[in-house]
Amino acid sequence: MKPLMLSTMLATLMLTSAAIAQTPSWLPPADSARCPSKWGAGDERGSGNLMKPQTVLNAVKLIKTGEVIELSHPLNAAMPMVAGRVFDLQVKRTGAARGVNKIRPNEELIVAEMGQVGTQFDGFAHITHDNVHYNCLKTEDIATRNGFTKLGIEKVGMLMTRGVLIDVAGFKGVDTLGDTYEITVADLEGAIKKQNLTLQAGDAVIIHTGWGKLWDKEPARYAKSNPGIGVKAAEFLIAKDPMLLGADNTPVEVSPNPDPQLAIPVHQLALVVNGVHLLENLKLDELAAKNVSEFAFVMQPLKLQGATGSTVAPAALR
Amino acid sequence: MKPLMLSTMLATLMLTSAAIAQTPSWLPPADSARCPSKWGAGDERGSGNLMKPQTVLNAVKLIKTGEVIELSHPLNAAMPMVAGRVFDLQVKRTGAARGVNKIRPNEELIVAEMGQVGTQFDGFAHITHDNVHYNCLKTEDIATRNGFTKLGIEKVGMLMTRGVLIDVAGFKGVDTLGDTYEITVADLEGAIKKQNLTLQAGDAVIIHTGWGKLWDKEPARYAKSNPGIGVKAAEFLIAKDPMLLGADNTPVEVSPNPDPQLAIPVHQLALVVNGVHLLENLKLDELAAKNVSEFAFVMQPLKLQGATGSTVAPAALR
Amino acid sequence: MKPLMLSTMLATLMLTSAAIAQTPSWLPPADSARCPSKWGAGDERGSGNLMKPQTVLNAVKLIKTGEVIELSHPLNAAMPMVAGRVFDLQVKRTGAARGVNKIRPNEELIVAEMGQVGTQFDGFAHITHDNVHYNCLKTEDIATRNGFTKLGIEKVGMLMTRGVLIDVAGFKGVDTLGDTYEITVADLEGAIKKQNLTLQAGDAVIIHTGWGKLWDKEPARYAKSNPGIGVKAAEFLIAKDPMLLGADNTPVEVSPNPDPQLAIPVHQLALVVNGVHLLENLKLDELAAKNVSEFAFVMQPLKLQGATGSTVAPAALR
Amino acid sequence: MKPLMLSTMLATLMLTSAAIAQTPSWLPPADSARCPSKWGAGDERGSGNLMKPQTVLNAVKLIKTGEVIELSHPLNAAMPMVAGRVFDLQVKRTGAARGVNKIRPNEELIVAEMGQVGTQFDGFAHITHDNVHYNCLKTEDIATRNGFTKLGIEKVGMLMTRGVLIDVAGFKGVDTLGDTYEITVADLEGAIKKQNLTLQAGDAVIIHTGWGKLWDKEPARYAKSNPGIGVKAAEFLIAKDPMLLGADNTPVEVSPNPDPQLAIPVHQLALVVNGVHLLENLKLDELAAKNVSEFAFVMQPLKLQGATGSTVAPAALR
């Protein structure tokens, strides 16, 4: 990646036309400063490139008891959702019994943003900086009515790698971090040290904020705001070369951002600028309660062709 | 399970009122003959009970190179589907750019029978014998407008176990079995012997018919009929106590059934009578081409609350 | 129609197996007592048979100023709905500008029970007595996965007839009748007399309860219960041979019914027993405020093939 | 409206950057040349402003026999649709019988672009010139995820006015005009003269091309191309100040446009430049067969809040 000088130039430029506003605490670098990505021009996989046979083998080594810890919430109409999204499951009438064996099947129609509800994995078609995606692909060039011709989630495939849980709530000694708490680099370093962890390239890095406990108990509060990493903490983690960043909250990052001029900037930093996947709305209570710091992380995104993401049911194995 | 005598009685009974019809080649046993299931009254997991830490460890032992072979097709509107089902993915307008960081997200609404399209895993709410499910739960008692209160697919969880591929197409020396070919017990035994396989309790038993090659090349032919196991072959496999039965065709079983009086009877035999899950529309070309007989099978059904099944993206690891 | 003796027999029968229960205040007559309907065996139109050229001409005579008074509410996600129904309107991304004329269209996907939401007209596929419809058609025989082969709303066509507003709220001198008030025959007779009205065969009979004022102000209260006619008042009105019965509440009838053993019995009395259409969730404030008792009623149900009803936008002309 | 000089300038400008292309036969005038509209700055109704009590009274005068001629096709999954649109009607399971009266309701979920399928009425949110609508409202300013804050179809209301059928197929002596035939001004003038018609301000002007006969007989051909008016004929008709332009084809206008550089330009000319509504996919066979030239036109668009259009079931009365 090229130096960020251009992004400063851009910031300056924007401020002339918004004289009163404070200098934003962060802005995405200019396209020319971030493209081509470090994975090469035309790359669509970003941090997914870190998934290799060796990654699988490294993860397999961590499986000692065969225990599976599920990391996803059930999908239903009551779950917290971003306003304007739906999850509607309708049991259908499927007709008369067939055959002398009188078989009657049941099925359901589901209407939902299946790429963006529940425990959910973000691909690079999801987020842009002013309609420009990861590796400077433009929405205009890759979006159709029925999906994206590039960056679709179907290209990711199964991910299996070492997973690490950074238990920030545990480090701070709280059940859950505060409603708008921004996790600092010091928090991450402190938790990592306390847990005797080292981050490795290709890790699935999962942050425990405790916020996930509100999922079904206080869904409105869960959706309204949430603690999480900000730009600084995200930069710290991205520098470690993770396969993905995940958390037990909706956007992985703190929301709203403490800088009122910025809207979910870590989404741009991760998905647009650095091509690092995000994994949202994880269910981490069991993992945290069992003090699991290191595990085999397994996730199978649906091959929704041309989609921006996928609802998922990942698991930790140990 | 109790002896099947009652089922014969039932068959006899039905035939008196349908004098002209031939004796059906199979009928589901009476409820009293099959309930409670061998997993106990009230059990909702059936063959899912075979998933245990030891199953995971057995599978892990089979992972030697870290290679991942994907077993699912992409989900799109052109894929073969049972008449009356849909897969509609619509990219949404999500509004103006937000923040000085000009973030613009994309997302899609998906309208589909997400429990029953694409590469797909069947739960026990899906199929009945005259509105009676596995373990004699009645549709009337467990169905609501928005899902099933029992037998929902969200209760299954991640499955990881030894997978075996029975390559019947390979055994018969053909690219694909014929359009309505019923796989015989001799075919299974022949293929198993040729591949030097032994089936074990808890296996994910996958049958390669070659039919999957038509998925995107001849979708109409793929959906119209297909080769697969019939009642006899299914009984042979179920006797081995599998965690699931899968194939590279829509219903796992031959369709239409050679007995014109029967409508997909293996669905009842597996899901209703024996509580054995089915896994449909698998993509098996790579697995077969590489002559993989044994592998670690991994699948993460979505936790669609109260749903009859889940579209899935399983994989084979070795 | 045959005498109701059989229905009494049925009631007696049911009570033997439910000894503690009170005698229900009403039960639908036995199928044999109500079929064939007075419109003949095989008839699917019921009160729609009253729509004739002369009906149109009678209505036209009432149009003197050309004023149009709209009788429907806007359709949006916030409107009161029966639990389990949805109205989701999603603006779609429709792709790049086309042509040198740079045309960019917009459109929206709508997911809703379009037969049963908003101001809404009920057809005869909607309601049954134990799965038996108007004219003794059985759900089992006419329902498919994708609609009804008989009784579909597409068969009704445009209705134009004399409309009468029976202003019960006005007669009682209240803004709105009470939350569970059952309109009596005396209320109807009183209002009719006060308004100097006479009911004619083929009228669209509309009842003003005042409840419609809560539509967007108190949607939860609007949906929870409502004043309306009960069985007695419905029998009184149906005896006048109306083309339809409508009101400014969800089910036309009082809900819940004062008899706790009965669930929306007027739906059965009108739609199943007598083949009289219902028109629900009307917006009647303007009509009532202007003291319009008689008007030309115009309604164009959508031709939703095989549907149970249609959301509509009827109007009163005078 | 201001002179079109600016539009010529725009055309010139575009051609410099597309040197090889022929001069387009039409381009929308510049925003400054067309805004504010003749109905005033901020107007959202366009030709809907022509709907007045007097228009209703004029229409009423044409009703002499009370005959209703329906002008819409049934809505079903097999109807011709623009690629990417759907019409999916799913009968739902609605639960157990309720009450001692054993009521069981049926209902259906419908998933469709209900603003843009079937016989269908276009509002001004539907079409733009490079994201600028009628009266120079910008998509960016009025579009939300769930509808348009201005120009929504719910604002139109019932339309009742004099309808005229210009039977161009009849004038040309053919069952249907050719697959890509552009109706000329001479065709319109010839048909009008032959039918002894005069167009009046506020008319619903309906053009019979005969193409509607293919609706259910040859749906693929119906959707692929169609005869209809081009820019010249549309300008001729719009100069008569109609309330709407309708036809028995998908886009009212000829498609594809004979000028390969233009994509459905009449949509822009009518909806964007002049604020004249379009009415599509009419069923006109009965009207034409009965040689009805003049009639009372009645249409009730659904009040779909913020929608771009509405599927409708209009009728002709005489």
Side-chain angles (χ1 to χ4, degrees):
Chain A
M1 226 167 317
K2 301 175 194 171
L4 298 191
M5 224 166 55
L6 276 168
S7 109
T8 315
M9 284 175 60
L10 180 67
T12 313
L13 224 73
M14 294 188 68
L15 287 170
T16 44
S17 68
I20 308 161
Q22 297 294 313
T23 308
S25 55
W26 181 80
L27 277 179
D31 294 352
S32 57
R34 65 178 178 87
C35 298
S37 88
K38 72 171 176 182
W39 301 105
D43 174 66
E44 299 183 43
R45 304 202 68 206
S47 62
N49 284 293
L50 295 162
M51 169 71 186
K52 292 172 186 165
Q54 190 56 49
T55 329
V56 174
L57 294 178
N58 292 347
V60 161
K61 275 180 220 151
L62 302 171
I63 306 177
K64 285 157 193 167
T65 66
E67 184 186 14
V68 176
I69 301 177
E70 304 269 345
L71 304 180
S72 69
H73 298 285
L75 291 152
N76 59 43
M79 65 184 169
M81 275 184 280
V82 169
R85 291 184 185 155
V86 291
F87 182 87
D88 189 30
L89 184 160
Q90 301 273 8
V91 180
K92 296 164 64 176
R93 184 176 189 92
T94 54
R98 287 188 292 141
V100 298
N101 55 323
K102 293 191 180 174
I103 194 165
R104 281 176 196 261
N106 297 298
E107 64 186 60
E108 57 280 300
L109 189 73
I110 297 181
V111 177
E113 290 80 4
M114 290 299 290
Q116 298 291 337
V117 295
T119 301
Q120 177 269 326
F121 179 67
D122 275 347
F124 306 130
H126 180 39
I127 293 291
T128 68
H129 171 227
D130 206 10
N131 294 326
V132 185
H133 296 256
Y134 167 69
N135 228 350
C136 291
L137 288 162
K138 291 176 184 165
T139 303
E140 183 82 6
D141 295 337
I142 64 173
T144 74
R145 296 162 67 106
N146 299 111
F148 288 77
T149 54
K150 298 204 172 181
L151 304 180
I153 204 71
E154 80 280 10
K155 295 180 177 165
V156 175
M158 171 171 160
L159 301 183
M160 183 166 183
T161 189
R162 177 185 183 241
V164 293
L165 184 79
I166 306 180
D167 185 1
V168 179
F171 171 68
K172 306 287 275 192
V174 294
D175 250 22
T176 175
L177 301 174
D179 294 54
T180 58
Y181 181 76
E182 178 178 352
I183 294 171
T184 64
V185 173
D187 290 339
L188 295 176
E189 287 177 327
I192 288 169
K193 189 175 175 190
K194 183 188 168 199
Q195 295 174 247
N196 219 3
L197 266 175
T198 52
L199 302 190
Q200 299 169 9
D203 281 350
V205 176
I206 311 292
I207 297 153
H208 180 237
T209 69
W211 198 248
K213 291 186 183 71
L214 307 179
W215 178 262
D216 43 15
K217 293 201 193 76
E218 300 184 51
R221 183 175 163 212
Y222 182 94
K224 196 182 174 193
S225 75
N226 64 269
I229 56 175
V231 170
K232 294 294 178 199
E235 286 175 333
F236 170 82
L237 293 174
I238 288 170
K240 309 292 187 187
D241 221 4
M243 190 178 292
L244 60 85
L245 299 179
D248 56 345
N249 59 20
T250 293
V252 179
E253 65 188 288
V254 59
S255 174
N257 195 277
D259 181 343
Q261 297 182 87
L262 295 180
I264 48 168
V266 172
H267 267 64
Q268 286 179 326
L269 180 66
L271 294 164
V272 178
V273 178
N274 289 288
V276 172
H277 287 292
L278 297 178
L279 176 53
E280 306 177 339
N281 293 322
L282 285 162
K283 182 179 178 297
L284 299 178
D285 51 351
E286 188 178 350
L287 210 55
K290 292 182 172 172
N291 287 311
V292 183
S293 285
E294 203 190 22
F295 51 89
F297 172 86
V298 180
M299 182 175 61
Q300 298 178 325
L302 297 178
K303 298 192 188 310
L304 298 162
Q305 196 167 310
T308 63
S310 173
T311 189
V312 286
L317 278 67
R318 63 166 177 169
Chain B
M1 226 165 321
K2 301 173 193 170
L4 298 190
M5 225 165 55
L6 276 169
S7 110
T8 315
M9 284 173 60
L10 179 68
T12 313
L13 222 74
M14 294 189 67
L15 286 169
T16 45
S17 68
I20 308 161
Q22 297 294 312
T23 309
S25 56
W26 180 81
L27 277 179
D31 295 352
S32 55
R34 65 178 178 84
C35 298
S37 88
K38 72 171 176 182
W39 302 104
D43 173 66
E44 300 183 42
R45 303 203 69 205
S47 63
N49 284 294
L50 295 162
M51 169 70 186
K52 292 172 187 165
Q54 189 56 47
T55 330
V56 174
L57 294 178
N58 292 348
V60 161
K61 276 179 220 150
L62 302 171
I63 305 176
K64 286 157 191 166
T65 66
E67 185 186 13
V68 176
I69 301 177
E70 303 269 346
L71 303 179
S72 69
H73 297 285
L75 291 153
N76 59 44
M79 65 184 170
M81 274 182 282
V82 169
R85 291 185 186 154
V86 292
F87 182 87
D88 189 31
L89 184 160
Q90 301 273 8
V91 180
K92 296 164 63 177
R93 184 176 189 92
T94 54
R98 287 187 293 143
V100 297
N101 56 323
K102 293 189 180 176
I103 195 165
R104 281 177 196 260
N106 297 299
E107 65 187 61
E108 55 280 297
L109 189 74
I110 296 181
V111 178
E113 290 81 5
M114 290 300 290
Q116 297 292 338
V117 295
T119 301
Q120 178 268 324
F121 178 67
D122 274 348
F124 306 130
H126 179 39
I127 293 292
T128 68
H129 171 226
D130 207 10
N131 293 326
V132 184
H133 297 256
Y134 166 68
N135 229 350
C136 291
L137 289 162
K138 292 176 183 164
T139 304
E140 183 83 4
D141 295 337
I142 64 173
T144 74
R145 296 162 68 108
N146 299 111
F148 288 77
T149 53
K150 297 203 173 183
L151 304 179
I153 204 69
E154 80 280 9
K155 295 181 177 164
V156 176
M158 171 171 163
L159 300 183
M160 183 165 185
T161 189
R162 178 187 182 237
V164 294
L165 184 79
I166 306 181
D167 185 1
V168 179
F171 171 67
K172 306 287 276 189
V174 294
D175 250 22
T176 175
L177 300 174
D179 293 55
T180 57
Y181 181 75
E182 178 178 353
I183 293 171
T184 64
V185 173
D187 290 340
L188 295 177
E189 289 177 326
I192 288 169
K193 189 174 175 191
K194 183 187 167 201
Q195 294 174 245
N196 219 2
L197 265 177
T198 51
L199 302 190
Q200 299 168 10
D203 281 351
V205 176
I206 312 291
I207 297 153
H208 180 237
T209 69
W211 198 248
K213 292 185 182 71
L214 307 178
W215 178 262
D216 43 14
K217 294 202 192 74
E218 300 184 51
R221 184 176 162 212
Y222 182 94
K224 195 182 175 192
S225 75
N226 62 269
I229 57 175
V231 169
K232 294 294 179 201
E235 286 176 333
F236 170 83
L237 292 173
I238 289 171
K240 309 292 187 187
D241 220 3
M243 192 179 291
L244 59 86
L245 298 179
D248 56 344
N249 58 21
T250 293
V252 179
E253 65 188 292
V254 61
S255 174
N257 195 276
D259 181 343
Q261 296 181 89
L262 295 180
I264 49 169
V266 173
H267 267 64
Q268 285 178 327
L269 180 65
L271 294 165
V272 178
V273 179
N274 289 288
V276 172
H277 288 292
L278 297 176
L279 176 54
E280 307 178 338
N281 293 323
L282 285 161
K283 183 179 178 297
L284 299 178
D285 52 352
E286 187 178 351
L287 211 55
K290 292 182 172 171
N291 288 311
V292 182
S293 287
E294 202 190 24
F295 51 88
F297 172 86
V298 181
M299 181 174 62
Q300 297 177 327
L302 297 178
K303 298 192 188 307
L304 297 162
Q305 196 167 310
T308 64
S310 173
T311 189
V312 285
L317 278 68
R318 63 166 179 171
Chain C
M1 224 165 318
K2 302 176 193 169
L4 298 190
M5 224 165 58
L6 277 168
S7 109
T8 315
M9 284 174 58
L10 179 67
T12 313
L13 223 74
M14 293 189 69
L15 286 169
T16 44
S17 68
I20 308 161
Q22 298 293 314
T23 309
S25 55
W26 181 80
L27 277 179
D31 295 353
S32 56
R34 65 178 179 85
C35 299
S37 89
K38 72 170 175 181
W39 302 105
D43 174 65
E44 300 182 43
R45 303 202 68 206
S47 63
N49 285 293
L50 294 162
M51 169 71 186
K52 292 172 185 164
Q54 190 57 47
T55 330
V56 174
L57 294 178
N58 292 347
V60 161
K61 276 179 220 149
L62 302 171
I63 305 177
K64 284 157 192 167
T65 66
E67 184 187 15
V68 176
I69 301 176
E70 305 269 345
L71 304 180
S72 69
H73 297 284
L75 291 153
N76 58 43
M79 65 184 169
M81 275 183 281
V82 169
R85 292 184 185 154
V86 292
F87 182 87
D88 189 31
L89 183 160
Q90 300 274 7
V91 179
K92 296 165 63 175
R93 183 176 191 92
T94 55
R98 287 187 293 141
V100 298
N101 55 323
K102 292 191 180 174
I103 193 164
R104 282 175 196 262
N106 298 299
E107 66 186 60
E108 55 281 300
L109 189 72
I110 296 181
V111 178
E113 291 80 5
M114 290 299 289
Q116 298 291 338
V117 294
T119 301
Q120 178 269 325
F121 179 66
D122 274 347
F124 306 130
H126 179 40
I127 294 291
T128 68
H129 171 226
D130 207 10
N131 294 326
V132 184
H133 297 256
Y134 167 68
N135 228 350
C136 291
L137 289 161
K138 291 176 184 162
T139 304
E140 184 82 5
D141 295 337
I142 63 173
T144 74
R145 296 162 68 105
N146 298 111
F148 288 76
T149 54
K150 298 205 172 182
L151 304 180
I153 204 71
E154 80 281 9
K155 295 181 177 163
V156 176
M158 171 171 160
L159 300 183
M160 184 166 183
T161 189
R162 178 186 182 240
V164 294
L165 183 80
I166 306 181
D167 185 2
V168 179
F171 171 67
K172 306 287 275 190
V174 294
D175 250 21
T176 174
L177 301 175
D179 293 55
T180 58
Y181 181 75
E182 179 179 354
I183 293 171
T184 65
V185 173
D187 291 339
L188 295 177
E189 288 177 327
I192 288 169
K193 188 175 176 190
K194 182 188 168 201
Q195 294 174 247
N196 218 4
L197 265 175
T198 51
L199 302 191
Q200 300 168 10
D203 281 351
V205 176
I206 311 292
I207 296 153
H208 179 237
T209 69
W211 198 248
K213 292 186 183 70
L214 307 179
W215 177 263
D216 44 13
K217 293 202 192 74
E218 300 185 51
R221 184 177 162 212
Y222 182 94
K224 195 183 175 192
S225 76
N226 64 268
I229 56 175
V231 169
K232 294 294 179 201
E235 286 175 334
F236 170 83
L237 292 174
I238 289 170
K240 309 291 187 187
D241 220 3
M243 192 179 291
L244 59 85
L245 298 179
D248 55 345
N249 59 21
T250 292
V252 179
E253 64 188 291
V254 61
S255 174
N257 195 277
D259 181 342
Q261 296 181 89
L262 296 180
I264 48 169
V266 172
H267 267 64
Q268 285 178 326
L269 180 66
L271 294 164
V272 178
V273 178
N274 290 288
V276 172
H277 289 292
L278 298 178
L279 176 53
E280 307 177 338
N281 292 324
L282 285 161
K283 182 181 177 296
L284 299 177
D285 51 351
E286 187 178 351
L287 211 54
K290 293 181 171 172
N291 288 310
V292 182
S293 286
E294 204 189 21
F295 49 89
F297 172 86
V298 180
M299 181 175 63
Q300 298 178 326
L302 297 178
K303 297 191 188 310
L304 298 162
Q305 197 167 309
T308 63
S310 172
T311 189
V312 285
L317 278 68
R318 62 166 178 170
Chain D
M1 227 165 318
K2 302 175 191 170
L4 298 189
M5 225 167 53
L6 276 169
S7 111
T8 316
M9 284 175 58
L10 180 68
T12 314
L13 223 75
M14 293 189 68
L15 287 169
T16 44
S17 68
I20 308 160
Q22 298 292 313
T23 308
S25 56
W26 181 79
L27 277 180
D31 295 352
S32 56
R34 66 178 178 86
C35 297
S37 88
K38 73 171 175 180
W39 302 105
D43 174 66
E44 299 182 43
R45 304 202 68 205
S47 63
N49 284 294
L50 295 162
M51 169 70 185
K52 292 172 185 165
Q54 189 57 48
T55 330
V56 174
L57 294 178
N58 292 347
V60 162
K61 277 180 218 149
L62 302 171
I63 306 177
K64 285 156 192 168
T65 67
E67 184 186 14
V68 176
I69 301 176
E70 303 270 345
L71 304 180
S72 69
H73 298 285
L75 290 154
N76 59 43
M79 65 184 170
M81 275 182 282
V82 170
R85 291 184 186 154
V86 293
F87 182 87
D88 189 30
L89 184 160
Q90 301 273 7
V91 179
K92 296 164 64 175
R93 184 177 190 89
T94 54
R98 287 186 293 141
V100 298
N101 56 323
K102 293 190 181 176
I103 194 165
R104 281 176 197 263
N106 298 298
E107 63 185 62
E108 56 280 298
L109 189 73
I110 297 182
V111 177
E113 291 80 5
M114 291 298 292
Q116 297 291 336
V117 295
T119 301
Q120 177 268 324
F121 178 67
D122 275 347
F124 307 129
H126 180 38
I127 293 292
T128 68
H129 171 227
D130 207 10
N131 294 327
V132 184
H133 296 256
Y134 167 69
N135 228 351
C136 291
L137 288 161
K138 291 176 185 165
T139 303
E140 182 83 5
D141 295 337
I142 64 173
T144 74
R145 296 161 69 107
N146 299 111
F148 287 77
T149 54
K150 298 204 172 182
L151 304 179
I153 204 70
E154 81 280 10
K155 295 181 177 164
V156 175
M158 171 171 161
L159 301 182
M160 182 165 185
T161 189
R162 178 186 183 239
V164 294
L165 184 79
I166 306 181
D167 185 1
V168 179
F171 171 69
K172 306 287 276 190
V174 294
D175 250 22
T176 175
L177 301 174
D179 293 55
T180 58
Y181 181 75
E182 179 178 354
I183 294 171
T184 64
V185 172
D187 291 340
L188 295 177
E189 288 177 326
I192 287 169
K193 190 175 175 188
K194 183 189 168 200
Q195 295 174 245
N196 219 3
L197 264 176
T198 51
L199 303 190
Q200 299 168 9
D203 281 351
V205 176
I206 312 291
I207 297 154
H208 180 238
T209 69
W211 199 248
K213 291 186 182 69
L214 307 179
W215 177 263
D216 44 14
K217 295 204 191 73
E218 300 184 52
R221 183 175 163 215
Y222 182 94
K224 195 182 174 193
S225 76
N226 63 270
I229 57 175
V231 169
K232 293 295 179 199
E235 286 176 334
F236 170 83
L237 292 173
I238 288 170
K240 309 292 186 187
D241 220 3
M243 192 179 292
L244 59 85
L245 299 178
D248 55 344
N249 59 21
T250 292
V252 179
E253 65 188 291
V254 60
S255 173
N257 194 277
D259 181 343
Q261 297 181 86
L262 294 180
I264 49 168
V266 173
H267 267 64
Q268 285 178 326
L269 180 65
L271 294 164
V272 179
V273 178
N274 289 289
V276 172
H277 288 292
L278 298 177
L279 176 53
E280 306 178 338
N281 293 323
L282 285 161
K283 183 178 177 298
L284 299 178
D285 51 352
E286 187 178 351
L287 210 55
K290 292 181 172 172
N291 287 312
V292 182
S293 285
E294 203 190 22
F295 50 90
F297 172 86
V298 180
M299 182 174 63
Q300 297 177 326
L302 297 178
K303 298 193 188 308
L304 297 162
Q305 196 167 311
T308 64
S310 172
T311 190
V312 285
L317 278 68
R318 63 167 178 169

